[in-house]
Amino acid sequence: MSSTTAQTDLNGWTDPREQIEFSVLMANGRLAPRSFANEEEARAWARPEDGDEVVSFNYVCACDR
């Protein structure tokens, strides 16, 4: 699983809306077969010239481009 940008309170609870993950939606409609630590890493891996898109999502909503 990739690193997240979430804030954890003193009780150890993390708001799932803030647990953002990054991936690459490849031109063939599938997500990349790996996870990325952050958006910059996903952008470096993506091939936008071939139709790839960097996407972010969390555990609350399915996908937000």
Side-chain angles (χ1 to χ4, degrees), residues 24-30 47-53:
V24 173
L25 180 62
M26 299 184 299
N28 65 6
R30 294 182 151 187
R47 299 180 69 182
E49 66 276 6
D50 292 340
D52 292 354
E53 277 184 74

Side-chain angles (χ1 to χ4, degrees), residues 10-53:
L10 296 177
N11 296 323
W13 184 80
T14 302
D15 187 340
R17 296 171 295 181
E18 295 180 9
Q19 291 182 306
I20 308 298
E21 293 195 31
F22 295 94
S23 189
V24 173
L25 180 62
M26 299 184 299
N28 65 6
R30 294 182 151 187
L31 288 175
R34 55 162 294 183
S35 60
F36 300 93
N38 53 48
E39 184 176 5
E40 292 77 25
E41 188 178 300
R43 288 196 184 284
W45 190 88
R47 299 180 69 182
E49 66 276 6
D50 292 340
D52 292 354
E53 277 184 74

